[in-house]
Amino acid sequence: MDLNYSAEDEQFRDTVRAFLDAKLPDDLRHKVLNHLRLSKEDFLRWHRIVHEQGWVGASWPKEYGGTGWSAVQQHIFAEECAAAGAPIIQPFGISMVGPVIMAFGNEQQKARHLPRILSGEDWWCQGYSEPGAGSDLASLKTRAERQGDHYIVNGQKTWTTLGQHANLMFCLVRTDPDAPKQRGISFLLIDMNTPGITVRPIIMVDGEHEVNEVFLEDVKVPVENLVGEENKGWTYAKYLLGHERTSIAAVGRSKRELAYLKRLAMSRHQNGRPLLENPLFAARVAQIEIDLMALELMALEVLSSDADDKNTGPDASILKIKGTDIQMGLTELMVDAVGPYAAPSDLAYLEGEREHSIFFDDDAAPLAGQYFNYRKTAIYGGSTEIQKNILSRIALGL
Ligand SMILES: Cc1cc2nc3c(=O)[nH]c(=O)nc-3n(C[C@H](O)[C@H](O)[C@H](O)COP(=O)(O)OP(=O)(O)OC[C@H]3O[C@@H](n4cnc5c(N)ncnc54)[C@H](O)[C@@H]3O)c2cc1C
């Protein structure tokens, strides 16, 4: 397979570019391209613009208000948005709970939630992990006991990404403690404003408030918020995880960051020559570029395939491992390119409270934080070690 797109696809690309040129606000583009932090309102502003265009449900079928685009068109859209510096559309609604509701939800749930996911009215968060249940997710202990027309939920979730912004959480809960562990789990939709829910920040190593702990104490959840059947939640949970893994490959973002790295390495000098002309550094950049091209080819091949297991099989694991290795590798090369200038952390600049960094230069200021932050990619969505276990079992038969 090569990367020759059809004339129709190239025309589609032009349409996307024209939209981005006309509609992507300069301040958002500036923040994304310069590794500055985005607020909830920044994300929502872009979400609403894309929604107005009818393109938020890029991967959704038309019957639910999606675009009905082909896999290649979805790839082109993601690639162009990333290249232009558009904020990401948060995945929790569009790529995670949305597809689960479409596949397993009832008509009322579809009618209520899908339009609100598209419009950005609801901000969802993912309540899967717990202090004792990450890689071994099926060990989760958060308990939901049926009492009349409600469940009473007690337990703790952790690492809840952007839970501080969310008004809804899709949550895995144990409804049958006596069943074998995968069989006693259910998939509940929980209003974050229900009494008994406490969200506490976990501050990441780069100083960012990106993840949270969520405590649930006697939280009353109406039974109509159960998705699918009671105790069948593990099936729905796995369906969602496959969607999460394939999108984590982030090819478009890595292409943009590779271009940034090259510009950075051209602007730094060593012995009077641009760093990018240093053979050792250039070889490292070339290697990551080759890996990225291979990843893109594979991502396109997987997206275009009709295989039933394309989101959950070995391909999804390979995309997750390679995609996140590349993302981490790029942040490492950027830090190496600027050396000690990457070290200071200027939070006020990153948060947009100051126009320029008080340290040496704006390009270098976010890089150390970004390097540390991106170690997360090898952990979330199923860690690299777990993906390798899956590969050794399914692909190698070990
Ligand atoms: C930034 C960030 C955001 C996240 N966002 C969310 C979110 O929004 N919602 C949510 O529910 N969860 C979220 N997670 C949680 C994430 O899914 C878990 O962290 C992940 O599944 C790993 O679980 P754990 O942290 O409990 O580590 P553990 O499972 O305790 O693993 C610790 C280490 O042991 C290794 N290990 C574990 N088991 C094995 C094995 N069998 N073989 C080999 N090695 C093994 C792991 O690879 C890892 O290196 C997020 C995590 C991070 C870091």
Side-chain angles (χ1 to χ4, degrees):
M1 183 171 183
D2 60 23
L3 281 178
N4 290 331
Y5 293 97
S6 69
E8 202 183 317
D9 287 336
E10 288 301 351
Q11 212 173 4
F12 174 78
R13 189 188 292 280
D14 290 342
T15 310
V16 173
R17 278 190 186 159
F19 162 72
L20 289 163
D21 279 349
K23 293 291 169 70
L24 176 57
D26 286 342
D27 61 322
L28 296 184
R29 187 193 296 265
H30 172 80
K31 280 189 176 180
V32 173
L33 294 180
N34 292 289
H35 306 113
L36 304 179
R37 295 184 179 167
L38 281 86
S39 65
K40 176 180 185 180
E41 188 42 40
D42 288 336
F43 285 115
L44 283 177
R45 185 148 53 105
W46 180 237
H47 187 114
R48 287 192 286 260
I49 293 170
V50 182
H51 175 56
E52 245 171 60
Q53 181 74 9
W55 289 355
V56 162
S59 57
W60 286 20
K62 277 194 168 151
E63 75 175 290
Y64 294 121
T67 59
W69 285 340
S70 70
V72 174
Q73 287 175 321
Q74 290 171 44
H75 176 78
I76 291 173
F77 178 64
E79 193 179 23
E80 291 302 325
C81 285
I88 58 160
I89 298 293
Q90 288 298 325
F92 308 104
I94 291 289
S95 322
M96 296 188 183
V97 74
V100 169
I101 291 174
M102 281 180 225
F104 307 105
N106 59 34
E107 291 311 313
Q108 276 154 323
Q109 288 165 344
K110 288 179 194 174
R112 169 157 183 83
H113 294 299
L114 299 180
R116 294 170 65 93
I117 291 174
L118 289 175
S119 67
E121 256 165 294
D122 289 328
W123 186 301
W124 287 85
C125 65
Q126 179 183 29
Y128 272 29
S129 306
E130 297 181 3
S135 302
D136 184 14
L137 184 60
S139 302
L140 61 94
K141 290 197 172 67
T142 294
R143 182 84 170 90
E145 282 176 273
R146 177 91 186 246
Q147 283 185 13
D149 54 3
H150 281 83
Y151 289 101
I152 303 296
V153 182
N154 280 286
Q156 185 194 340
K157 296 291 170 180
T158 192
W159 304 120
T160 319
T161 299
L162 301 183
Q164 74 271 30
H165 298 330
N167 62 313
L168 285 165
M169 170 166 66
F170 53 91
C171 194
L172 294 180
V173 293
R174 188 158 298 285
T175 32
D176 183 353
D178 300 323
K181 56 185 186 178
Q182 274 93 347
R183 300 225 187 107
I185 293 172
S186 298
F187 195 105
L188 274 190
L189 310 178
I190 301 183
D191 183 337
M192 293 292 280
N193 296 313
T194 320
I197 298 184
T198 311
V199 179
R200 284 198 203 141
I202 302 175
I203 302 303
M204 307 255 289
V205 68
D206 61 347
E208 182 140 18
H209 177 193
E210 189 178 317
V211 284
N212 300 276
E213 298 178 286
V214 177
F215 297 86
L216 301 114
E217 221 176 312
D218 290 331
V219 176
K220 251 179 119 178
V221 181
V223 280
E224 64 253 28
N225 289 16
L226 173 75
V227 173
E229 289 177 53
E230 197 177 82
N231 298 326
K232 295 272 171 66
W234 189 244
T235 308
Y236 320 143
K238 281 195 303 185
Y239 179 84
L240 183 148
L241 279 178
H243 281 79
E244 184 179 356
R245 253 163 233 159
T246 33
S247 54
I248 283 175
V251 174
R253 183 187 186 281
S254 288
K255 285 171 92 172
R256 179 185 76 218
E257 294 305 303
L258 178 66
Y260 185 94
L261 168 68
K262 286 182 181 174
R263 278 198 306 277
L264 197 65
M266 276 307 285
S267 70
R268 312 281 144 162
H269 288 78
Q270 218 179 37
N271 304 324
R273 313 274 307 159
L275 180 62
L276 198 58
E277 292 176 13
N278 171 321
L280 292 178
F281 197 81
R284 291 172 68 198
V285 175
Q287 185 58 57
I288 213 157
E289 186 159 6
I290 292 165
D291 288 348
L292 184 52
M293 285 167 77
L295 179 76
E296 183 172 21
L297 283 171
M298 182 172 174
L300 274 169
E301 212 164 53
V302 172
L303 276 171
S304 321
S305 103
D306 294 327
D308 287 341
D309 71 343
K310 70 174 174 182
N311 283 320
T312 49
D315 287 347
S317 295
I318 295 172
L319 288 176
K320 164 78 188 15
I321 296 171
K322 291 303 292 182
T324 54
D325 273 356
I326 290 168
Q327 289 174 66
M328 290 190 293
L330 284 165
T331 64
E332 189 174 334
L333 279 164
M334 285 183 204
V335 166
D336 286 353
V338 301
Y341 295 107
S345 176
D346 184 352
L347 286 182
Y349 167 65
L350 295 180
E351 305 277 0
E353 289 160 18
R354 243 201 297 275
E355 198 182 337
H356 294 290
S357 170
I358 50 166
F359 299 108
F360 314 96
D361 67 58
D362 294 350
D363 283 344
L367 299 182
Q370 180 184 247
Y371 167 84
F372 288 119
N373 183 289
Y374 266 71
R375 305 305 99 186
K376 71 187 175 189
T377 64
I379 302 169
Y380 63 28
S383 72
T384 296
E385 290 77 16
I386 294 301
Q387 303 310 317
K388 287 183 177 169
N389 283 352
I390 294 173
L391 282 178
S392 68
R393 204 178 59 245
I394 305 181
L396 306 174
L398 297 174

